[in-house]
Amino acid sequence: MTADVPADVPAPVPVPVRAPTYPTPTPSPPTGTALDHGGPPPITVLAASRAVLSGRVTPATIVISTATGKITSVHRTVLPAADFPPGTPYADHSPHLLLPGLVDAHVHLNEPGRTEWEGFWTGTRAAAFGGVTTVVDMPLNAIPPTTTVAGLREKVEAARGKCWVDVGFYGGIVPGNEAELKGLVQAGVRGFKGFLIDSGDAKQVDEFPAVSAADVQKAMAELADEDTVLMFHAEMLPPIADSVGDAVQSSQPPLAPSGPLTAYNTFLASRPPSFETYAIAEVLSLAALAPELPLHIVHLSAVEAVPMLRTARRRGVKITAETCFHYLSLAAESIADGDTRHKCCPPIRGQSNQDGLWAELLGEGADTLPNEDDSVIQTIVSDHSPCTPSLKLLPPSIPPSTRDTISPAGAAKQGDFFSAWGGISSVGLGLPILWTEAVKRSQSASADISIVDVVRWCATNTAAQVGLAGSKGALAVGMDGDVAVFDDTAAFVLHSDAMLWRNRCSPYEGRPMRGVVRETWLRGHRVFSRDEGFREKDGPVGRLILEPRGMETNGKART
């Protein structure tokens, strides 16, 4: 792979840096101005000296029909505005990059039922701010969860008219809901997720219990011949372990604490890699029951699980894995005691584990396969899992952008990693998080990471994972005109004004980052501009993706 980062890129500074040889990009015109008065054909034209097309960085001109929202032609050169009919909306974004809109295949939007945690309006605005044009909402943390067709219908009604980007939905597998699964497939869910360990504090999310091997067998029997994917939160308590109950730990009790509950190392030691490897072994032991059903491990953290997944893939098991922005950019060694903004499950592990995940992504791990498509980790997602700040139990020494009132009982547990809610907010931050790490690793010669890699992991492959490869994840004729205009040289420090989700509490606050999304386009409509903000007068134009997998036609999603 060839890096798109010049060797002489300066160290990040909190101001944009632009190459002097390119003109200043022309502002993008409002969508459709020429159409309203009987003008030229209904198209918008976006051009740039650099665009990611078919796995390469090349000059490009992208023509999008504003009537269908589809890309109608792609030219591997920067065509001038004069090549198009007078009045055609046109913008040359050189020297910035044109990328396909990202597809975040793992987001918790929590509506209805827990909208004080997040919601469709705020979560999808945060996504659009960061060049994400499609999110897929997880089945839990909303009330009701998406474990029944009725629950899906309730979620769809809650989402109508609130989505700034396109939104798909997953279904859930829980004990006893196997009779609902085929109906959910037909209703348009993009896949199913189940937990092999309790999902969060039982006091908070008791409506989405963990499944047993028997439950998984029933789900596999129902889904064996369906066009879907079965996904697992892969953590399980190994059969020989020193475990304790809620009398000692009030959140997800695994191994007995070995030190202060406010020390991150205590929490990390309580969820060792064996939790993940044991759970994945359980999934693999059941795979033969539905050999044609794709399986997927969500938010893989432990690099120790990679060899067993690779071996299974070589045997023909249809299994893939994703990892998350936080596992690739945060390390246990840097997490301060009491900073529960970093709590998630599986946990953020050490620097060597992070390096191992990057090596697998880049095909540099031991005994890796030569074809990048054979990598165990196919996708990178946010696992955006917010909550109210009070549930994070942050001590006064940790400065979040927002705080709410903590109960007296909660105040007594401030900084307690075992009592705090586990989840990290980062939807819309994926591009700068990964690009910051790419620049750092490329400059240190520890890795060679290109923007093409980022697009593959966060757009092309995530779209394929959720059955949207025919419409999302690439800049090509016939695809949705979803585009992110990315300034890969701009540097900034993350403050609250760049956190558009409902509760501005994130471990990335105050961190220097590289890369800024200048504009986000959804099916040929500009929904966000760094200079002008959101197109409030147009309102949300995101669609709800409800066509069953394999049945999207002409880009028209049933809403």
Side-chain angles (χ1 to χ4, degrees):
M1 287 166 283
T2 302
D4 296 314
V5 185
D8 58 350
V9 171
V13 291
V15 293
V17 179
R18 294 186 174 86
T21 56
Y22 292 100
T24 301
T26 54
S28 294
T31 301
T33 51
L35 315 182
D36 300 335
H37 306 288
I43 60 172
T44 287
V45 180
L46 305 178
S49 55
R50 296 182 299 157
V52 175
L53 302 179
S54 305
R56 293 179 52 202
V57 176
T58 179
T61 303
I62 312 293
V63 181
I64 307 170
S65 166
T66 54
T68 66
K70 294 292 184 180
I71 297 174
T72 58
S73 61
V74 176
H75 307 271
R76 292 178 180 265
T77 186
V78 177
L79 298 177
D83 282 10
F84 298 93
T88 297
Y90 173 97
D92 179 357
H93 288 285
S94 303
H96 304 329
L97 282 150
L98 298 184
L99 310 179
L102 302 194
V103 178
D104 193 337
H106 192 143
V107 172
H108 296 265
L109 294 176
N110 302 344
E111 188 174 358
R114 290 191 175 95
T115 50
E116 71 276 15
W117 293 14
E118 190 59 280
F120 289 104
W121 182 278
T122 50
T124 59
R125 277 173 79 95
F129 182 84
V132 177
T133 52
T134 305
V135 299
V136 187
D137 183 49
M138 279 291 166
L140 69 155
N141 296 356
I143 302 175
T146 316
T147 54
T148 66
V149 174
L152 174 63
R153 288 174 181 155
E154 192 166 338
K155 180 171 283 191
V156 167
E157 286 305 311
R160 291 191 191 280
K162 299 177 183 177
C163 298
W164 291 85
V165 302
D166 289 353
V167 177
F169 303 93
Y170 289 119
I173 59 169
V174 294
N177 82 322
E178 62 272 7
E180 293 280 347
L181 303 185
K182 287 185 181 293
L184 284 165
V185 170
Q186 291 305 308
V189 299
R190 314 313 302 172
F192 293 87
K193 179 184 180 182
F195 277 71
L196 299 178
I197 196 170
D198 283 338
S199 55
D201 188 337
K203 302 179 186 68
Q204 295 289 344
V205 191
D206 58 357
E207 69 276 358
F208 204 95
V211 290
S212 66
D215 298 319
V216 175
Q217 291 175 26
K218 293 175 184 177
M220 285 181 163
E222 290 294 314
L223 299 175
D225 298 321
E226 299 290 346
D227 184 358
T228 191
V229 60
L230 183 55
M231 310 183 299
F232 297 94
H233 178 127
E235 285 186 291
M236 290 180 71
L237 190 70
I240 302 174
D242 182 13
S243 62
V244 296
D246 281 352
V248 176
Q249 297 169 203
S250 60
S251 176
Q252 298 175 320
L255 299 184
S258 56
L261 302 186
T262 56
Y264 185 75
N265 281 340
T266 306
F267 173 67
L268 178 60
S270 77
R271 301 188 90 97
S274 59
F275 273 44
E276 294 187 66
T277 56
Y278 182 67
I280 291 170
E282 178 87 348
V283 172
L284 294 176
S285 73
L286 299 170
L289 298 175
E292 297 305 312
L293 176 63
L295 307 175
H296 184 74
I297 304 301
V298 300
H299 46 52
L300 180 71
S301 167
V303 74
E304 289 87 345
V306 167
M308 62 195 304
L309 287 167
R310 187 181 298 122
T311 298
R313 286 169 61 81
R314 285 176 171 164
R315 295 200 320 263
V317 177
K318 294 186 174 182
I319 190 165
T320 55
E322 69 191 35
T323 193
C324 300
F325 306 135
H326 41 276
Y327 300 134
L328 297 170
S329 60
L330 304 174
E333 293 88 342
S334 301
I335 299 175
D337 288 354
D339 193 350
T340 53
R341 294 176 301 178
H342 294 80
K343 181 187 176 180
C344 60
C345 298
I348 296 164
R349 303 192 187 276
Q351 185 63 53
S352 62
N353 187 87
Q354 182 191 115
D355 294 341
L357 293 174
W358 275 109
E360 173 61 25
L361 279 164
L362 295 167
E364 298 169 356
D367 195 30
T368 51
L369 296 169
N371 187 333
E372 64 190 18
D373 291 336
D374 290 327
S375 299
V376 166
I377 304 173
Q378 294 275 302
T379 54
I380 307 175
V381 297
S382 69
D383 187 13
H384 176 68
S385 185
C387 65
T388 56
S390 63
L391 293 177
K392 276 294 187 182
L393 300 176
L394 285 167
S397 58
I398 306 298
S401 291
T402 57
R403 274 185 195 273
D404 51 9
T405 302
I406 298 179
S407 67
K413 295 183 177 181
Q414 285 182 327
D416 181 344
F417 280 97
F418 293 89
S419 297
W421 174 259
I424 290 179
S425 298
S426 64
V427 68
L429 288 182
L431 267 176
I433 290 171
L434 290 184
W435 195 239
T436 300
E437 195 68 22
V439 170
K440 180 179 73 175
R441 289 176 176 269
S442 295
Q443 288 178 339
S444 67
S446 64
D448 194 7
I449 305 165
S450 75
I451 194 65
V452 172
D453 296 322
V454 175
V455 166
R456 184 175 73 254
W457 297 323
C458 300
T460 308
N461 287 359
T462 45
Q465 176 187 320
V466 297
L468 295 174
S471 58
K472 305 285 187 183
L475 299 178
V477 173
M479 304 292 278
D480 285 356
D482 299 348
V483 182
V485 180
F486 185 54
D487 181 351
D488 59 331
T489 63
F492 68 101
V493 174
L494 181 68
H495 296 301
S496 61
D497 59 351
M499 302 181 204
L500 301 195
W501 48 83
R502 186 177 301 280
N503 295 291
R504 299 180 181 188
C505 178
S506 173
Y508 294 104
E509 184 173 2
R511 290 177 176 265
M513 292 192 178
R514 174 67 64 91
V516 168
V517 172
R518 305 303 311 180
E519 293 186 3
T520 302
W521 291 73
L522 180 65
R523 295 188 313 279
H525 296 270
R526 193 184 69 204
V527 295
F528 169 76
S529 162
R530 194 79 174 192
D531 296 326
E532 300 177 21
F534 288 87
R535 294 187 61 81
E536 305 286 359
K537 68 176 183 178
D538 295 337
V541 296
R543 292 176 177 171
L544 308 184
I545 302 170
L546 294 172
E547 289 294 333
R549 287 177 62 129
M551 294 182 63
E552 292 86 7
T553 57
N554 300 318
K556 296 179 180 178
R558 177 161 46 91
T559 63

